[in-house]
Structures are given as structure tokens and as C-alpha cells.
Amino acid sequence: ALPQPAPPGSPGCSASHSAAGRHGAATLAAHSEASSADGWRGGSGQRWLLQPAQSAAQSAAALLASAALLLGSASPGYAENELADLAQGQFKSELIDPQCFAKSCKLQTKACAENGDCMKGLTCAAKCMGDTQCTVGCFAKFGNPVLDDVLSCTIEDQSCLKIAIVAPGADGPLDAPLPPKPLVAVTPQQMAGKWYKVMGWNSNYDCYDCQRNSFRPAARQQAMAIAADGSAVDVDVEYSLPRQRAGMPQDFHAQLHEKLVFDTTPGSHRTAHTEGKMFGLTFWENWYVIGANDRGEDAFRIVYYTGKTLQNKYEGAFVYARKPDLPASAMPHIYSIARQAGLEPTSFCAIDNRCYAAPAATAGET
């Protein structure tokens, strides 16, 4: 029998450890060094390319200072004097433009200052000092549209917080990172319909509970505008995060929408690319379909991805199936493909999709 992926709830793979690697911690990268010249970490399953501690400390202090500014209780002097210890002596006042909050992002700033969850989320994330899982927990607990709006305005739109270190914009089909193994040919039509993520490689993002992606053709006008270099599809993304409120555990059911464009450029390094927003911050991703079922096997696809935000770069991988459970008949094939790509399948998590199980019939029902 094959060793199985880590079950739901195991260390590193439960929803509480999995959340927004990609975006929930987008403003705060954790402390680590890149392990290769091009800035990509390989083989570790860690989704974030993590900034050095100095940059993370500066970003954290900038966020905490911005929280104080939103509350109206801070001055630049406060930021410099009182936050120096938090930032490990690395805080720089030029990271924050207080006037920008008051002028360019006035409406978003006011809304956040008046919203308890927004303020708590901002302060909570700053105090994490760049720890991805901690920051993700903050956004899972306090994230809401008001927090999304203030992050989007102050970081991306107006640069009130000057913590971006990566140039914006998508990779091109010929300059995207190379896949870990040759691509498998796949068309938008073959991906149409509902797919469940059943295994995930990166515990910071790929192991959410209740993950279902629905693919459908993009509206004609949108497809023509977006897909000059490929065929566009709409993807509806569903997942769940744990959330504590008043000491009681709850599930935070989230949805987001992406446009996925399948590349048609000859020699493209990737299968498709996408752009979207999560927690108010933009991400750009390259998708690589590196495995698919043989005839007679339960349907599956193995997708590896690389991506970036304005703060960092990341990678991950997951297995799609047509049903919420692991495709038992195809597991030996899935393990083989993963290992060919340098991904150890026993380090993947098994995603908990029990929320999609058919409800049991009640007594007397047929």
C-alpha cells in the first residue's frame, strides 16, 4: 500500500496552518533567504519566497505605525521612537507617508478606523513580525472588505506604505519560470466544470478546507479583451478558513473570482496564467499542468504554480479530482508523477472536503 498524504488536521496541513500564504501575508514576508539564484525556493513546499528579516521587520513596523495613524493616536515621532524595538532597530520612517493616508486614501482610512475588525487585523498582522502562519491567522480572524480596501489603497494604489519589493505585472509565456517536468497538453474544454482540490503541497496555502474550483468559458467580450495570447476561462474559487469569534470556532467561507488564460504562444513555459486579488492585494500566477489521468483511471490533474505579489514570490502544487475525495485508483500514478517533478507526495496534505459530502437521508426519505 502507498503511504498516504498527511490527513486533514495533521501538523502543517490543517486549515489553521494553511491559509493565505499567497495573499493573506502579502504585506509581511516571513524570515528566510531564497535558496537559488533566481529567487525561487525549490522542494520545500513553502509557498512564500520569504524576505530577509530586516525587510520583514520594516514592513511589520510600517503596518503597526499605520494602524496607530488610523487610530489618530500616532505621530511620525511615535512611529520612530516607540516602534524601533518592534522593528528590531530597522524601522525607517520613510516607509510611511502619513499625508497619503489623510488625502489619497481618506475614505478607506476613515472606514478602517471606524471598523473594529479592520483595525484589529492590521495591528494583529503587524505584530506577527513577518510570520506567515501568524499573519494568515490574523486575516482569517479579522479579514473583511474594509480591510481589503485599505490594504489595496495604501499599499498598491497610492503607496502610502512603501513596502513593495517586486515589480508589478505578469510574466510572459517565454520568461515565466520553467516547469519541474514537461507539461501535459490540456485544453480549456477539458478543464470545464467542477474540480476539487484533494491534495496540496504547500501547507501555507494549498491545504485549505473545502476547496472547489469551477471552470466556465469567459464572457465573449471579456475573453476578447483579456486573451490576446490565449483562451480565457472564468474560475470561481471556493475555500474555508477557521475563525475564532467570542471564543467559539467558526468557519469563514470565502470565494474569489479569477480569469485564467490558457497560453497559445509556441514554446510557452506554462499552461496558463492568471491575475486576481485576495485580501485586497493583486497576485499574478503561472499554472503548469504536469500530470493527468490515463484512460480508465479516476479523473485528476496535477498543477504546479509559481506566482508573485508586490511583496514576494511563491510556488506550490495541488491535485484536482472530479470528486471531493482522493481518486483511489489513480494514487500510484499521482505519486509517480509527483516524484518525477521532484515533489514528494507523502509530504502533501489530504484536503478536507467533507463539507461537500451529500447529506444523509433522514428517516422516512427514499
Side-chain angles (χ1 to χ4, degrees):
L2 289 169
Q4 292 299 299
S10 63
C13 291
S14 68
S16 61
H17 289 279
S18 68
R22 169 166 72 182
H23 318 287
T27 55
L28 298 173
H31 313 295
S32 180
E33 299 286 343
S35 62
S36 61
D38 65 356
W40 289 99
R41 288 181 61 134
S44 67
Q46 295 298 314
R47 185 170 176 90
W48 284 99
L49 169 76
L50 306 173
Q51 292 179 29
Q54 177 175 336
S55 297
Q58 291 175 359
S59 297
L63 275 178
L64 190 55
S66 68
L69 286 167
L70 288 172
L71 285 172
S73 62
S75 65
Y78 173 91
E80 291 188 44
N81 296 329
E82 302 300 323
L83 298 176
D85 290 340
L86 174 68
Q88 302 169 8
Q90 301 295 336
F91 177 74
K92 296 181 179 179
S93 59
E94 60 265 28
L95 293 175
I96 302 177
D97 180 356
Q99 294 303 313
C100 179
F101 282 85
K103 294 181 179 179
S104 301
C105 296
K106 180 178 179 179
L107 294 178
Q108 294 86 349
T109 296
K110 184 176 185 293
C112 186
E114 295 173 351
N115 183 278
D117 278 352
C118 182
M119 290 305 308
K120 290 174 183 177
L122 201 63
T123 306
C124 174
K127 290 181 178 179
C128 289
M129 288 305 298
D131 181 87
T132 301
Q133 291 182 1
C134 173
T135 307
V136 161
C138 293
F139 283 108
K141 186 174 183 179
F142 300 114
N144 65 18
V146 178
L147 179 57
D148 292 353
D149 288 345
V150 77
L151 290 175
S152 180
C153 186
T154 58
I155 295 174
E156 290 196 354
D157 300 339
Q158 302 298 331
S159 298
C160 305
L161 296 177
K162 305 179 189 303
I163 56 178
I165 61 171
V166 179
D171 295 325
L174 302 180
D175 57 21
L178 291 169
K181 68 177 295 295
L183 300 175
V184 171
V186 63
T187 66
Q189 291 75 25
Q190 291 170 330
M191 294 300 298
K194 291 181 172 61
W195 291 88
Y196 298 86
K197 291 184 180 180
V198 295
M199 292 173 60
W201 179 50
N202 186 323
S203 62
N204 282 333
Y205 176 67
D206 297 328
C207 298
Y208 292 122
D209 290 346
C210 299
Q211 294 196 64
R212 181 170 62 187
N213 292 178
S214 301
F215 293 76
R216 51 190 169 79
R220 179 176 177 82
Q221 186 174 5
Q222 293 174 326
M224 292 175 65
I226 294 172
D229 59 346
S231 300
V233 298
D234 288 324
V235 186
D236 296 316
V237 179
E238 304 170 57
Y239 60 94
S240 293
L241 292 171
R243 169 173 279 189
Q244 290 281 341
R245 286 298 168 89
M248 299 296 292
Q250 300 177 4
D251 286 329
F252 173 53
H253 299 288
Q255 294 184 339
L256 61 95
H257 179 76
E258 298 182 19
K259 284 277 189 292
L260 188 68
V261 180
F262 285 76
D263 288 279
T264 57
T265 302
S268 175
H269 294 174
R270 64 198 180 192
T271 303
H273 60 281
T274 186
E275 175 181 337
K277 277 200 170 191
M278 190 173 183
F279 296 114
L281 302 171
T282 304
F283 63 88
W284 298 270
E285 287 186 354
N286 306 300
W287 282 35
Y288 309 80
V289 179
I290 58 173
N293 58 284
D294 288 335
R295 182 173 298 178
E297 291 181 327
D298 292 328
F300 72 85
R301 301 286 186 271
I302 301 179
V303 178
Y304 169 79
Y305 60 85
T306 63
K308 66 179 181 180
T309 68
L310 294 183
Q311 286 73 43
N312 37 36
K313 297 180 179 180
Y314 56 88
E315 62 178 347
F318 55 84
V319 177
Y320 271 140
R322 287 296 191 182
K323 297 179 180 179
D325 304 317
L326 293 172
S329 70
M331 292 303 289
H333 192 189
I334 290 171
Y335 274 47
S336 175
I337 294 170
R339 288 181 172 134
Q340 291 171 32
L343 309 175
E344 175 49 49
T346 58
S347 69
F348 279 55
C349 64
I351 295 169
D352 186 348
N353 286 321
R354 285 175 291 183
C355 61
Y356 295 116
T362 58
E365 290 184 343
T366 59

mmCIF file of all heavy atoms in Angstrom, residues 19-28 48 125 132 135-140 151 205 208 278-279 281 309:
data_model
loop_
_atom_site.group_PDB
_atom_site.id
_atom_site.type_symbol
_atom_site.label_atom_id
_atom_site.label_comp_id
_atom_site.label_asym_id
_atom_site.label_seq_id
_atom_site.Cartn_x
_atom_site.Cartn_y
_atom_site.Cartn_z
ATOM 1 N N ALA A 19 -3.606 28.795 5.560
ATOM 2 C CA ALA A 19 -4.321 29.852 4.916
ATOM 3 C C ALA A 19 -3.569 30.622 3.874
ATOM 4 O O ALA A 19 -3.055 30.065 2.969
ATOM 5 C CB ALA A 19 -4.843 30.748 5.975
ATOM 6 N N ALA A 20 -3.518 31.911 3.984
ATOM 7 C CA ALA A 20 -3.326 32.715 2.800
ATOM 8 C C ALA A 20 -1.937 32.878 2.310
ATOM 9 O O ALA A 20 -1.656 33.855 1.686
ATOM 10 C CB ALA A 20 -3.894 34.088 3.033
ATOM 11 N N GLY A 21 -1.048 31.979 2.517
ATOM 12 C CA GLY A 21 0.319 32.148 2.107
ATOM 13 C C GLY A 21 0.489 33.137 1.001
ATOM 14 O O GLY A 21 1.268 34.058 1.091
ATOM 15 N N ARG A 22 -0.294 32.974 -0.030
ATOM 16 C CA ARG A 22 -0.167 33.810 -1.215
ATOM 17 C C ARG A 22 -0.446 35.263 -0.913
ATOM 18 O O ARG A 22 0.290 36.149 -1.318
ATOM 19 C CB ARG A 22 -1.157 33.285 -2.255
ATOM 20 C CG ARG A 22 -1.335 34.189 -3.439
ATOM 21 C CD ARG A 22 -2.049 33.459 -4.537
ATOM 22 N NE ARG A 22 -3.460 33.243 -4.235
ATOM 23 C CZ ARG A 22 -4.271 32.583 -5.032
ATOM 24 N NH1 ARG A 22 -3.820 32.035 -6.131
ATOM 25 N NH2 ARG A 22 -5.526 32.437 -4.742
ATOM 26 N N HIS A 23 -1.542 35.531 -0.196
ATOM 27 C CA HIS A 23 -2.023 36.898 -0.127
ATOM 28 C C HIS A 23 -2.314 37.383 1.268
ATOM 29 O O HIS A 23 -2.156 38.548 1.549
ATOM 30 C CB HIS A 23 -3.296 37.044 -0.956
ATOM 31 C CG HIS A 23 -3.175 36.315 -2.227
ATOM 32 N ND1 HIS A 23 -2.401 36.755 -3.255
ATOM 33 C CD2 HIS A 23 -3.649 35.119 -2.612
ATOM 34 C CE1 HIS A 23 -2.448 35.880 -4.241
ATOM 35 N NE2 HIS A 23 -3.178 34.896 -3.868
ATOM 36 N N GLY A 24 -2.772 36.508 2.144
ATOM 37 C CA GLY A 24 -3.093 36.968 3.481
ATOM 38 C C GLY A 24 -1.887 37.571 4.149
ATOM 39 O O GLY A 24 -1.998 38.484 4.938
ATOM 40 N N ALA A 25 -0.703 37.065 3.846
ATOM 41 C CA ALA A 25 0.518 37.615 4.417
ATOM 42 C C ALA A 25 1.256 38.451 3.409
ATOM 43 O O ALA A 25 2.443 38.686 3.533
ATOM 44 C CB ALA A 25 1.411 36.480 4.903
ATOM 45 N N ALA A 26 0.540 38.932 2.406
ATOM 46 C CA ALA A 26 1.231 39.616 1.312
ATOM 47 C C ALA A 26 1.982 40.844 1.767
ATOM 48 O O ALA A 26 2.966 41.223 1.152
ATOM 49 C CB ALA A 26 0.219 40.014 0.238
ATOM 50 N N THR A 27 1.542 41.481 2.836
ATOM 51 C CA THR A 27 2.240 42.673 3.290
ATOM 52 C C THR A 27 3.398 42.354 4.209
ATOM 53 O O THR A 27 4.179 43.240 4.538
ATOM 54 C CB THR A 27 1.270 43.587 4.047
ATOM 55 O OG1 THR A 27 0.672 42.854 5.098
ATOM 56 C CG2 THR A 27 0.201 44.107 3.109
ATOM 57 N N LEU A 28 3.492 41.111 4.647
ATOM 58 C CA LEU A 28 4.544 40.743 5.576
ATOM 59 C C LEU A 28 5.149 39.428 5.149
ATOM 60 O O LEU A 28 4.535 38.401 5.290
ATOM 61 C CB LEU A 28 3.973 40.569 6.995
ATOM 62 C CG LEU A 28 3.334 41.795 7.627
ATOM 63 C CD1 LEU A 28 2.682 41.379 8.925
ATOM 64 C CD2 LEU A 28 4.370 42.851 7.879
ATOM 65 N N TRP A 48 5.828 30.802 0.162
ATOM 66 C CA TRP A 48 6.393 32.148 0.104
ATOM 67 C C TRP A 48 7.868 32.128 -0.195
ATOM 68 O O TRP A 48 8.630 31.381 0.377
ATOM 69 C CB TRP A 48 6.185 32.849 1.448
ATOM 70 C CG TRP A 48 4.794 33.294 1.615
ATOM 71 C CD1 TRP A 48 3.804 32.665 2.313
ATOM 72 C CD2 TRP A 48 4.191 34.427 1.016
ATOM 73 N NE1 TRP A 48 2.638 33.342 2.207
ATOM 74 C CE2 TRP A 48 2.845 34.429 1.419
ATOM 75 C CE3 TRP A 48 4.662 35.445 0.193
ATOM 76 C CZ2 TRP A 48 1.964 35.412 1.020
ATOM 77 C CZ3 TRP A 48 3.778 36.422 -0.187
ATOM 78 C CH2 TRP A 48 2.452 36.402 0.225
ATOM 79 N N ALA A 125 -1.667 41.670 12.353
ATOM 80 C CA ALA A 125 -0.723 41.257 11.316
ATOM 81 C C ALA A 125 0.643 41.887 11.523
ATOM 82 O O ALA A 125 1.685 41.244 11.342
ATOM 83 C CB ALA A 125 -1.273 41.627 9.939
ATOM 84 N N THR A 132 4.361 33.982 8.547
ATOM 85 C CA THR A 132 3.274 33.766 7.602
ATOM 86 C C THR A 132 2.042 33.165 8.269
ATOM 87 O O THR A 132 0.924 33.646 8.089
ATOM 88 C CB THR A 132 3.734 32.853 6.455
ATOM 89 O OG1 THR A 132 4.841 33.459 5.806
ATOM 90 C CG2 THR A 132 2.627 32.617 5.461
ATOM 91 N N THR A 135 0.320 35.701 10.492
ATOM 92 C CA THR A 135 -0.365 36.736 9.728
ATOM 93 C C THR A 135 -1.639 36.203 9.103
ATOM 94 O O THR A 135 -2.688 36.863 9.092
ATOM 95 C CB THR A 135 0.560 37.304 8.640
ATOM 96 O OG1 THR A 135 1.778 37.708 9.243
ATOM 97 C CG2 THR A 135 -0.078 38.485 7.942
ATOM 98 N N VAL A 136 -1.539 34.977 8.571
ATOM 99 C CA VAL A 136 -2.712 34.339 7.985
ATOM 100 C C VAL A 136 -3.818 34.201 9.015
ATOM 101 O O VAL A 136 -4.998 34.429 8.732
ATOM 102 C CB VAL A 136 -2.312 32.955 7.438
ATOM 103 C CG1 VAL A 136 -3.543 32.081 7.241
ATOM 104 C CG2 VAL A 136 -1.567 33.094 6.138
ATOM 105 N N GLY A 137 -3.452 33.832 10.240
ATOM 106 C CA GLY A 137 -4.445 33.723 11.287
ATOM 107 C C GLY A 137 -5.145 35.047 11.553
ATOM 108 O O GLY A 137 -6.348 35.089 11.808
ATOM 109 N N CYS A 138 -4.386 36.143 11.457
ATOM 110 C CA CYS A 138 -4.982 37.468 11.662
ATOM 111 C C CYS A 138 -6.033 37.768 10.603
ATOM 112 O O CYS A 138 -7.122 38.265 10.909
ATOM 113 C CB CYS A 138 -3.893 38.540 11.625
ATOM 114 S SG CYS A 138 -2.719 38.473 12.999
ATOM 115 N N PHE A 139 -5.700 37.470 9.354
ATOM 116 C CA PHE A 139 -6.645 37.761 8.281
ATOM 117 C C PHE A 139 -7.839 36.813 8.319
ATOM 118 O O PHE A 139 -8.955 37.197 7.970
ATOM 119 C CB PHE A 139 -5.948 37.717 6.932
ATOM 120 C CG PHE A 139 -5.114 38.942 6.658
ATOM 121 C CD1 PHE A 139 -3.744 38.876 6.687
ATOM 122 C CD2 PHE A 139 -5.708 40.159 6.399
ATOM 123 C CE1 PHE A 139 -2.974 39.993 6.465
ATOM 124 C CE2 PHE A 139 -4.950 41.289 6.172
ATOM 125 C CZ PHE A 139 -3.570 41.214 6.206
ATOM 126 N N ALA A 140 -7.602 35.569 8.733
ATOM 127 C CA ALA A 140 -8.719 34.639 8.869
ATOM 128 C C ALA A 140 -9.673 35.100 9.962
ATOM 129 O O ALA A 140 -10.887 34.967 9.852
ATOM 130 C CB ALA A 140 -8.198 33.245 9.187
ATOM 131 N N LEU A 151 -5.893 48.088 2.554
ATOM 132 C CA LEU A 151 -4.639 47.489 2.096
ATOM 133 C C LEU A 151 -4.405 47.794 0.623
ATOM 134 O O LEU A 151 -3.298 48.151 0.206
ATOM 135 C CB LEU A 151 -4.648 45.978 2.335
ATOM 136 C CG LEU A 151 -4.563 45.510 3.786
ATOM 137 C CD1 LEU A 151 -4.714 44.001 3.859
ATOM 138 C CD2 LEU A 151 -3.264 45.946 4.435
ATOM 139 N N TYR A 205 -0.736 27.432 1.910
ATOM 140 C CA TYR A 205 -1.864 27.848 1.080
ATOM 141 C C TYR A 205 -2.683 26.699 0.534
ATOM 142 O O TYR A 205 -3.900 26.768 0.469
ATOM 143 C CB TYR A 205 -1.369 28.713 -0.093
ATOM 144 C CG TYR A 205 -2.497 29.095 -1.031
ATOM 145 C CD1 TYR A 205 -3.503 29.946 -0.596
ATOM 146 C CD2 TYR A 205 -2.564 28.598 -2.314
ATOM 147 C CE1 TYR A 205 -4.556 30.286 -1.428
ATOM 148 C CE2 TYR A 205 -3.598 28.938 -3.155
ATOM 149 C CZ TYR A 205 -4.595 29.777 -2.711
ATOM 150 O OH TYR A 205 -5.624 30.108 -3.536
ATOM 151 N N TYR A 208 -6.139 24.511 2.456
ATOM 152 C CA TYR A 208 -7.444 24.981 2.920
ATOM 153 C C TYR A 208 -8.453 23.836 2.959
ATOM 154 O O TYR A 208 -8.385 22.906 2.159
ATOM 155 C CB TYR A 208 -8.038 25.987 1.937
ATOM 156 C CG TYR A 208 -7.367 27.310 1.794
ATOM 157 C CD1 TYR A 208 -6.901 27.707 0.544
ATOM 158 C CD2 TYR A 208 -7.257 28.178 2.867
ATOM 159 C CE1 TYR A 208 -6.320 28.956 0.374
ATOM 160 C CE2 TYR A 208 -6.676 29.417 2.697
ATOM 161 C CZ TYR A 208 -6.208 29.803 1.455
ATOM 162 O OH TYR A 208 -5.644 31.029 1.287
ATOM 163 N N MET A 278 -6.688 39.051 -3.633
ATOM 164 C CA MET A 278 -7.100 38.382 -2.405
ATOM 165 C C MET A 278 -6.635 39.242 -1.248
ATOM 166 O O MET A 278 -5.504 39.725 -1.233
ATOM 167 C CB MET A 278 -6.485 36.987 -2.326
ATOM 168 C CG MET A 278 -7.025 36.127 -1.210
ATOM 169 S SD MET A 278 -6.374 34.450 -1.342
ATOM 170 C CE MET A 278 -7.237 33.668 0.011
ATOM 171 N N PHE A 279 -7.504 39.481 -0.285
ATOM 172 C CA PHE A 279 -7.229 40.399 0.812
ATOM 173 C C PHE A 279 -6.800 41.765 0.287
ATOM 174 O O PHE A 279 -5.928 42.430 0.848
ATOM 175 C CB PHE A 279 -6.186 39.826 1.768
ATOM 176 C CG PHE A 279 -6.644 38.583 2.477
ATOM 177 C CD1 PHE A 279 -6.036 37.370 2.242
ATOM 178 C CD2 PHE A 279 -7.714 38.626 3.360
ATOM 179 C CE1 PHE A 279 -6.470 36.224 2.890
ATOM 180 C CE2 PHE A 279 -8.154 37.489 4.007
ATOM 181 C CZ PHE A 279 -7.531 36.284 3.769
ATOM 182 N N LEU A 281 -5.094 42.598 -2.307
ATOM 183 C CA LEU A 281 -3.783 42.695 -2.938
ATOM 184 C C LEU A 281 -3.710 41.815 -4.180
ATOM 185 O O LEU A 281 -4.211 40.699 -4.204
ATOM 186 C CB LEU A 281 -2.688 42.304 -1.946
ATOM 187 C CG LEU A 281 -2.684 43.162 -0.665
ATOM 188 C CD1 LEU A 281 -1.732 42.590 0.356
ATOM 189 C CD2 LEU A 281 -2.343 44.609 -0.983
ATOM 190 N N THR A 309 3.360 38.612 -5.720
ATOM 191 C CA THR A 309 2.647 39.824 -5.372
ATOM 192 C C THR A 309 3.684 40.945 -5.404
ATOM 193 O O THR A 309 4.838 40.717 -5.772
ATOM 194 C CB THR A 309 2.022 39.733 -3.965
ATOM 195 O OG1 THR A 309 3.087 39.714 -2.993
ATOM 196 C CG2 THR A 309 1.183 38.469 -3.827
#
